Amino acid sequence: MATMSLAPGASGVEALCSPGKSWRGHGFQSCRSGLVRFRRRECAIQGSAITPPPPSPALLHALASPGMRAATPARSYDLPFLKGSEENTIRAAKKGAPPMAPAVITPAGIADLTSIMLRSRIIFIGQPINSQVAQRVISQLVMLAAIDEEKDIQLYINCPGGSTYSVLAIYDCMSWIKPRVSTVCFGMAASQGALILAGGTKGLRFAMPNSRVMIHQPQGGCGGTMEDVRRQVNEVVASRDKIDKMYAAFTGQPLEIVQTYTERDHFFSAAEAMEFGLIDGLLETEY
């Protein structure tokens, strides 16, 4: 049976598991009993049993003080091979586990839902579009285009809107890659989300029967000096002019009609959106 001993006076940690073999350093050390974390103090390891030395009187006095008990309110879990030393206690996090992506059991094992959708060349936008969402969608578009330039990409949308610049970045990527991008509205495509919906490949823009589409002029806010406010107002006016022209190109409607519709929030049913030219067809529910 292998025996490991640690020299208490060494600057690092020296473990001797077999003749002529040694490891130095902190962190995780490997031995026959598994993966064990060592500290700078003497321990004796035989097989799978670890016997730490008794704690020093100074450590016991510090742990018994009220200040130390008040400073460590987290729950503790003592492992059997570490009992007898508060220093080696593993403490649980005060908060719960971090959120995890939904997982699906496949013949190849467990896979997260996003990976399975990407294998089917499906990208889902289900939140307001900001720079992080735009980065994710653009990365997925470029990746799917690099995998296969001939197969279509489906973009599912249930989006209340978002940043104009981030939406235009996604649209530029949709127009830049070679595969055709089909857009499908689930639930709601509002504000700049409607621009993504209408910006898909013509003939491949769809909506579910109970979905809603809303278009309006871009919103903005500004503050500061008069010159700064003037520049910000000019930027918002230029953004509205650009978006109105894009809607006119997507729908085939005259620019004056589009400007009338985007003057205030204008809601469309799925059939009205198809009649206006924002989408090309309705998808009937299968179930």
Side-chain angles (χ1 to χ4, degrees):
M1 180 177 296
T3 301
M4 180 181 293
S5 61
L6 307 181
S11 58
V13 176
E14 181 174 2
L16 302 177
C17 284
S18 59
K21 212 167 188 181
S22 64
W23 292 265
R24 287 182 178 274
H26 304 289
F28 288 90
Q29 306 291 338
S30 178
C31 67
R32 211 172 66 127
S33 61
L35 202 60
V36 182
R37 183 179 178 87
F38 294 108
R39 298 181 181 274
R40 289 192 181 187
R41 54 207 196 92
E42 184 178 3
C43 291
I45 302 179
Q46 293 187 351
S48 59
I50 302 179
T51 306
S56 63
L59 177 60
L60 292 176
H61 178 73
L63 293 175
S65 62
M68 176 63 72
R69 290 197 298 267
T72 56
R75 294 174 298 166
S76 301
Y77 296 94
D78 295 330
L79 297 183
F81 58 87
L82 293 179
K83 280 189 174 181
S85 174
E86 186 73 18
E87 184 182 356
N88 283 333
T89 299
I90 296 178
R91 298 190 174 276
K94 295 182 180 179
K95 298 182 179 180
M100 300 180 63
V104 178
I105 299 178
T106 65
I110 300 178
D112 62 282
L113 193 57
T114 303
S115 301
I116 295 177
M117 293 177 66
L118 284 177
R119 293 175 189 174
S120 302
R121 302 181 70 83
I122 297 174
I123 300 174
F124 187 76
I125 302 178
Q127 61 192 113
I129 300 175
N130 53 24
S131 57
Q132 288 81 12
V133 176
Q135 178 182 356
R136 173 182 62 82
V137 174
I138 291 173
S139 301
Q140 293 172 343
L141 286 170
V142 173
M143 180 194 67
L144 293 178
I147 293 175
D148 194 330
E149 297 181 352
E150 303 299 329
K151 290 185 179 180
D152 296 346
I153 299 173
Q154 298 182 28
L155 189 61
Y156 291 173
I157 302 170
N158 183 18
C159 175
S163 167
T164 300
Y165 303 115
S166 299
V167 169
L168 292 178
I170 295 176
Y171 171 74
D172 286 341
C173 184
M174 292 167 56
S175 305
W176 176 58
I177 60 177
K178 291 184 179 180
R180 299 184 303 176
V181 179
S182 172
T183 55
V184 183
C185 176
F186 287 83
M188 167 65 76
S191 186
Q192 309 305 330
L195 190 67
I196 294 291
L197 174 65
T201 303
K202 286 191 176 181
L204 298 177
R205 304 171 301 176
F206 305 101
M208 300 301 289
N210 295 314
S211 60
R212 302 283 289 179
V213 181
M214 188 271 284
I215 62 175
H216 61 186
Q217 57 180 300
Q219 300 177 353
C222 55
T225 65
M226 182 185 68
E227 182 62 23
D228 292 337
V229 171
R230 184 182 66 84
R231 292 171 182 265
Q232 292 291 336
V233 169
N234 291 339
E235 177 66 15
V236 174
V237 171
S239 297
R240 182 189 177 183
D241 183 63
K242 174 188 284 291
I243 291 175
D244 286 345
K245 290 180 178 178
M246 292 175 69
Y247 276 127
F250 296 157
T251 62
Q253 299 286 346
L255 181 60
E256 295 78 11
I257 300 297
V258 172
Q259 290 175 342
T260 302
Y261 275 74
T262 59
E263 184 66 27
R264 292 291 184 266
D265 293 355
H266 193 98
F267 291 85
F268 298 87
S269 65
E272 291 170 344
M274 183 174 65
E275 183 179 356
F276 190 75
L278 293 170
I279 60 176
D280 303 304
L282 301 178
L283 297 180
E284 296 183 0
T285 304
E286 295 185 3
Y287 303 102

